Amino acid sequence: MPLPHPASSSRPADTALLAALREQLGEAGVLTGRDTDGYVEDWRGLYRGRTMAVVRPADTDAVAAAVRLCVQHRVAIVPQGGNTSMVGGASPHADGSEIVLSLSRLNRVRGVDPVDMTLSVEAGVTLQAAQAAAREAGCLLPLSISSEGSAQIGGVLATNAGGNNTVRYGNARELVLGVEAVLPDGQVFNGMRRLRKDNTGYAVRHLLVGSEGTLGIITAAVLQLAPQPRSVEVALCGVASPEAALALFSEFRRRDPSAIQAFEFMSGTGMALVTSLIDGATLPLAETAPHYVLVELASGRETAGLRELIEEVIGQALEDGSVADAVVAESGAQRAAIWRLREEHSEAQKRAGASVKNDVSVPVSKVPELIARATAACEALVPGVRIAPFGHLGDGNIHFNLIQPADMTREAFLARDHEIMDTVCAVVRTLDGSFSAEHGVGMLKPYMMPDWRGGAELDAMRRIKQAFDPLDLFNPGKLLP
Amino acid sequence: MPLPHPASSSRPADTALLAALREQLGEAGVLTGRDTDGYVEDWRGLYRGRTMAVVRPADTDAVAAAVRLCVQHRVAIVPQGGNTSMVGGASPHADGSEIVLSLSRLNRVRGVDPVDMTLSVEAGVTLQAAQAAAREAGCLLPLSISSEGSAQIGGVLATNAGGNNTVRYGNARELVLGVEAVLPDGQVFNGMRRLRKDNTGYAVRHLLVGSEGTLGIITAAVLQLAPQPRSVEVALCGVASPEAALALFSEFRRRDPSAIQAFEFMSGTGMALVTSLIDGATLPLAETAPHYVLVELASGRETAGLRELIEEVIGQALEDGSVADAVVAESGAQRAAIWRLREEHSEAQKRAGASVKNDVSVPVSKVPELIARATAACEALVPGVRIAPFGHLGDGNIHFNLIQPADMTREAFLARDHEIMDTVCAVVRTLDGSFSAEHGVGMLKPYMMPDWRGGAELDAMRRIKQAFDPLDLFNPGKLLP
């Protein structure tokens, strides 16, 4: 059911703004009416908003000019990249009073330096295109998320994205050497430095990273690259318990944390959904297990002894019984097949019915307790619910997902989503965890901020927002309650 | 020549504050007059200030109480840890109007978790004591600076300290998972989380780290640890040029950046000073070289193939002529002897005469150009000056130090220190570098901020300062101009 469009706002002030924006950006730079369709609904279909216009500046100066015009007319701005937010962070509100500012046309790779191992890219470059630019220079951009074909660098940094390789290289934040952004005062913050050490004042770039477009609009960034791995080992292990999975991680980390490229946990329930619902997905082990672990080791060297390491650690775990069965991939095809079992988790869960997703984190040592207690609490709350936690054990980041019971309707299950989320989060809270590990706050979770980040912390955040954006025109209603 | 002390200020308002502080902290918690001697002069003797009192709270709540009293009386606070700033960041001004707040009594290790590999320490714990606590738990706190015996965690984080292992583990910032701090509004910011992923609002902790006590007083932190290395290789190489040193670094990084524990550059001039002025320091190579490189590789594994790696890369460099001569240490004693050549650089330069120090950074690829151009410019400016750059090549961070010419007096040379610094910084500027890589801004360099970090960036910093500390009572006159 298509929504009505405020194709041309009736407010004279808005008409004047649109005219000024068209003069500044050209006709092609300002979309209205039906042309805004692709920008007002998020990809999951959770948020449908409206907008008086989508502006599409072609470079940083044009972004700054558009910002100055909007501020002058007191019209709020929703910055948007690939529109892949999980929490409605890039969606306009329903009242149509906001401008969507798309960064898609800022899509140039400004430079790559294989000696410094740095990549300078504009905000509208997709993560996949940035990875390709790094690869062409013989390097690795060690950031990988499932939406990388659409997600753009600006949004990736504005949300401090995580992903599979965070255990080794850190979040997006840790890869950012420099940032360029347009601030709410219309100035261009030019912090495109590519220095590994620079102690000259406040870390403004770290404030912009993760601020979800509420403090500034990131227009470009300098990213730190790594060398391409030259040796890789991947194993799949069946384990008796989350405790055994944690013990295996600890042993790999004790031996060599810098070799761990990924360490992923999967529940037996989730794996059964993948092998039964996804064509060609088969378990390469003799028997099923209560839980599974995928471990990937990598090194820039061909002779780093990774095969010995993975066989030694898993061999020892097989001996002491903490790993029931395991397979180490013998080829690229086998590695891909093992990774597919992990990557198809979301698709398999989707096919299995309605699901409630929780992107939570706890200290790594608390992951087993999180899984045990949240599982018990949810089973008591919704008898028969299928519980399929999976994710980045090495970071303490578990996607604690629940799928509707077989004997419950989709609607009846989804009606209880907030109850379920609150139940999971109550456990996370007692373990000093976070209600949003890698997806951010967006429009979905600001209501949780006072309870979780209240007092001095939320006060400080509000003061920062006020200092940068006193008129509350940059992505209002996102991140802060 | 001892300075006069404002032993008890004559202002009635100050008398009232001191009485209130004594009531709050006890007599032992408030030092005045001669008892403040150890706090008002910095360790290099560059800054001699005065203070109406040194307060020494014993815990976080007492810090907050002291802050609230000072704010109520509109008296400024200089937070101080080990008093080892290189830029006067922890020194009170000469007018005696400020309170020095020492964190030394907050010296508890709150906890260490070997599974999470995290260490929770209070601000007054010395870096050395924190390293020891990590070691007792079988872990490594991978942060090492020459002042670590005195420097305290609070100051280390407030200045985002660097050091020899930054090339592998990052600056202090990268090791900080959580922070506790007292803010200028008197509230305790409790951010002592130990999560590797947490996207719930602005990165307040990253704002506090590196803010040099101007936004908050760090009272405790959670630090990420690493495993203790189980294999280490150290080599010293004589190289023909900075270009050859960079090529060697690039080759090690291409092979395995996660194996590089340190990569240090030393000039031939500096090495000659060390071997001639330091007892027992001898060059373990057959001949002297124009420049030197110290490379340390390390791994958590005993069988990581580091010996093969170091021999292969250096062997290849010997063959192609970029390395003239090299030695790989065969024992712990030999490793220590090689490291001593690097560590004695400061002492040897001190013995050689007056020196002008520049803690600068450039993109790693620009280090050879920095050294060539700054050397030429300084030789033209002060004929006969001895130029002895050394430092963290792997981070692009060079201590570009100059020692007085043999035929010039100490005074005549030091009279030109600003001229020399400006000359070096002019070169750094054209290479998109930084005028302070790891020492911070403090009292020494705020005047450089408008020129280097002006426009939108400095505006943003001023707004942040205003938002946190509207009365300018937290370390005024530091960092910002």
Side-chain angles (χ1 to χ4, degrees), chain B residues 186-220:
Chain B
Q187 284 195 86
V188 177
F189 165 73
N190 181 4
M192 290 290 276
R193 296 192 279 274
R194 48 201 178 99
L195 302 172
R196 291 180 48 92
K197 285 187 177 175
D198 174 29
N199 280 347
T200 55
Y202 304 146
V204 180
R205 79 172 187 278
H206 283 298
L207 206 48
L208 292 169
V209 171
S211 68
E212 304 187 19
T214 64
L215 300 178
I217 300 172
I218 294 173
T219 51

Side-chain angles (χ1 to χ4, degrees), chain B residues 254-278:
Chain B
R254 196 183 68 79
R255 300 289 193 102
D256 195 356
S258 59
I260 306 174
Q261 192 82 352
F263 197 97
E264 299 284 307
F265 174 85
M266 291 163 280
S267 69
T269 304
M271 186 66 92
L273 293 177
V274 171
T275 53
S276 63
L277 298 175
I278 302 293

Side-chain angles (χ1 to χ4, degrees), chain A residues 5 15 47 85 88 93 105 144 255 278 302 378 447 454 457:
Chain A
H5 285 272
T15 313
Y47 296 96
S85 173
H93 290 102
R105 287 172 72 195
S144 174
R255 300 290 193 101
I278 302 293
E302 274 150 30
C378 290
Y447 77 94
E457 185 162 4

Side-chain angles (χ1 to χ4, degrees), chain A residues 56-410:
Chain A
R56 303 179 67 246
D59 57 32
T60 303
D61 286 342
V63 174
V67 164
R68 284 191 295 266
L69 286 172
C70 289
V71 171
Q72 186 187 323
H73 288 80
R74 300 291 189 268
V75 167
I77 300 167
V78 180
Q80 192 178 96
N83 200 12
T84 59
S85 173
M86 300 290 282
V87 291
S91 300
H93 290 102
D95 67 3
S97 68
E98 297 164 318
I99 289 274
V100 172
L101 194 153
S102 166
L103 280 304
S104 298
R105 287 172 72 195
L106 279 78
N107 60 0
R108 283 164 289 264
V109 174
R110 290 194 188 164
V112 51
D113 187 321
V115 178
D116 288 323
M117 287 196 175
T118 55
L119 173 67
S120 173
V121 281
E122 293 184 346
V125 173
T126 64
L127 179 50
Q128 205 165 65
Q131 291 164 349
R135 200 162 40 238
E136 275 168 39
C139 297
L140 172 74
L141 173 57
L143 188 65
S144 174
I145 56 180
S146 53
S147 58
E148 61 200 23
S150 307
Q152 297 172 6
I153 291 295
V156 162
L157 301 189
T159 58
N160 186 29
N164 291 337
N165 303 133
T166 306
V167 64
R168 176 164 184 169
Y169 301 100
N171 294 291
R173 176 185 304 289
E174 275 76 45
L175 305 175
V176 179
L177 293 179
V179 155
E180 177 192 89
V182 175
L183 304 183
D185 65 3
Q187 285 194 86
V188 177
F189 165 74
N190 182 5
M192 289 290 277
R193 296 191 280 274
R194 47 201 178 100
L195 302 172
R196 290 180 49 92
K197 285 186 176 175
D198 174 30
N199 280 347
T200 55
Y202 305 145
V204 179
R205 79 171 186 277
H206 284 298
L207 206 48
L208 293 169
V209 171
S211 68
E212 305 187 19
T214 65
L215 300 178
I217 299 172
I218 294 173
T219 51
V222 181
L223 303 172
Q224 179 72 62
L225 306 178
Q228 284 285 354
R230 281 189 202 78
S231 55
V232 178
E233 299 291 343
V234 171
L236 182 74
C237 306
V239 295
S241 64
E243 283 80 2
L246 177 64
L248 194 63
F249 173 69
S250 291
E251 183 58 18
F252 275 111
R253 187 160 61 167
R254 195 183 69 78
R255 300 290 193 101
D256 195 356
S258 59
I260 307 173
Q261 192 83 352
F263 197 97
E264 299 283 308
F265 174 86
M266 290 163 281
S267 69
T269 305
M271 186 66 92
L273 293 178
V274 170
T275 52
S276 64
L277 298 175
I278 302 293
D279 267 0
T282 53
L283 190 69
L285 301 174
E287 287 181 39
T288 61
H291 306 277
Y292 300 88
V293 156
L294 184 165
V295 55
E296 176 169 319
L297 306 182
S299 169
R301 276 184 292 150
E302 274 150 30
T303 54
L306 297 184
R307 185 74 185 194
E308 294 72 19
L309 177 61
I310 206 165
E311 286 180 348
E312 210 176 296
V313 173
I314 292 178
Q316 186 187 308
L318 283 164
E319 246 172 65
D320 72 24
S322 59
V323 167
D325 193 5
V327 57
V328 181
E330 297 289 345
S331 67
Q334 283 185 17
R335 286 200 298 271
I338 290 175
W339 263 110
R340 193 169 171 230
L341 295 172
R342 163 66 182 82
E343 281 158 358
E344 294 285 5
H345 260 62
S346 291
E347 181 59 28
Q349 292 182 9
K350 196 172 158 186
R351 293 187 193 175
S355 63
V356 175
K357 298 175 193 287
N358 296 280
D359 168 42
V360 297
S361 66
V362 292
V364 181
S365 62
K366 306 285 189 192
V367 168
E369 193 176 344
L370 165 69
I371 292 174
R373 287 176 51 197
T375 297
C378 290
E379 279 172 347
L381 186 73
V382 185
V385 68
R386 289 169 288 175
I387 300 176
F390 68 99
H392 320 300
L393 172 62
D395 302 310
N397 175 197
I398 297 295
H399 300 300
F400 198 88
N401 290 3
L402 303 101
I403 299 115
Q404 64 181 101
D407 59 355
M408 193 183 260
T409 66
R410 184 179 184 86

Side-chain angles (χ1 to χ4, degrees), chain B residues 342-410:
Chain B
R342 163 66 182 81
E343 281 159 357
E344 294 285 8
H345 260 62
S346 291
E347 180 59 28
Q349 292 182 8
K350 195 172 160 187
R351 293 187 193 174
S355 63
V356 175
K357 298 174 193 289
N358 296 280
D359 168 42
V360 296
S361 66
V362 292
V364 180
S365 62
K366 305 287 188 190
V367 168
E369 193 176 344
L370 165 70
I371 292 174
R373 286 177 50 197
T375 297
C378 290
E379 279 172 348
L381 187 72
V382 185
V385 69
R386 289 169 288 175
I387 299 176
F390 67 100
H392 320 300
L393 172 62
D395 303 310
N397 175 198
I398 297 295
H399 301 299
F400 198 88
N401 291 3
L402 302 101
I403 300 116
Q404 63 181 100
D407 59 355
M408 193 184 258
T409 67
R410 184 179 183 85

Side-chain angles (χ1 to χ4, degrees), chain B residues 27-272:
Chain B
E27 284 294 326
V30 183
L31 312 178
T32 55
R34 293 272 162 241
D35 292 343
T36 68
D37 277 358
Y39 300 84
V40 293
E41 181 170 328
D42 78 309
W43 70 285
R44 290 176 72 192
L46 293 181
Y47 296 96
R48 279 184 169 196
R50 296 194 299 170
T51 183
M52 71 167 84
V54 174
V55 300
R56 304 178 67 246
D59 57 32
T60 303
D61 286 342
V63 174
V67 164
R68 284 192 294 266
L69 286 171
C70 290
V71 171
Q72 187 187 322
H73 287 80
R74 300 291 188 269
V75 167
I77 300 167
V78 180
Q80 192 178 96
N83 199 11
T84 59
S85 173
M86 299 289 281
V87 291
S91 300
H93 289 102
D95 66 5
S97 68
E98 297 164 317
I99 289 274
V100 172
L101 193 153
S102 166
L103 280 304
S104 298
R105 287 172 72 196
L106 279 78
N107 59 0
R108 284 164 289 264
V109 174
R110 291 194 186 164
V112 52
D113 187 320
V115 177
D116 287 323
M117 288 198 175
T118 55
L119 174 68
S120 173
V121 281
E122 292 184 346
V125 173
T126 64
L127 179 51
Q128 205 164 65
Q131 290 165 347
R135 201 163 38 238
E136 275 168 38
C139 297
L140 172 75
L141 172 57
L143 188 64
S144 173
I145 57 179
S146 52
S147 59
E148 61 200 24
S150 307
Q152 297 172 7
I153 291 296
V156 163
L157 300 190
T159 58
N160 186 28
N164 291 337
N165 303 132
T166 307
V167 64
R168 177 164 183 168
Y169 301 101
N171 294 291
R173 176 185 304 289
E174 275 76 45
L175 305 175
V176 179
L177 293 178
V179 155
E180 178 192 87
V182 175
L183 303 184
D185 66 2
Q187 284 195 86
V188 177
F189 165 73
N190 181 4
M192 290 290 276
R193 296 192 279 274
R194 48 201 178 99
L195 302 172
R196 291 180 48 92
K197 285 187 177 175
D198 174 29
N199 280 347
T200 55
Y202 304 146
V204 180
R205 79 172 187 278
H206 283 298
L207 206 48
L208 292 169
V209 171
S211 68
E212 304 187 19
T214 64
L215 300 178
I217 300 172
I218 294 173
T219 51
V222 180
L223 303 173
Q224 178 72 63
L225 306 178
Q228 284 286 354
R230 280 189 202 79
S231 56
V232 179
E233 298 292 343
V234 172
L236 182 74
C237 306
V239 295
S241 65
E243 283 79 3
L246 177 63
L248 194 62
F249 173 69
S250 291
E251 184 57 18
F252 274 111
R253 187 161 61 167
R254 196 183 68 79
R255 300 289 193 102
D256 195 356
S258 59
I260 306 174
Q261 192 82 352
F263 197 97
E264 299 284 307
F265 174 85
M266 291 163 280
S267 69
T269 304
M271 186 66 92

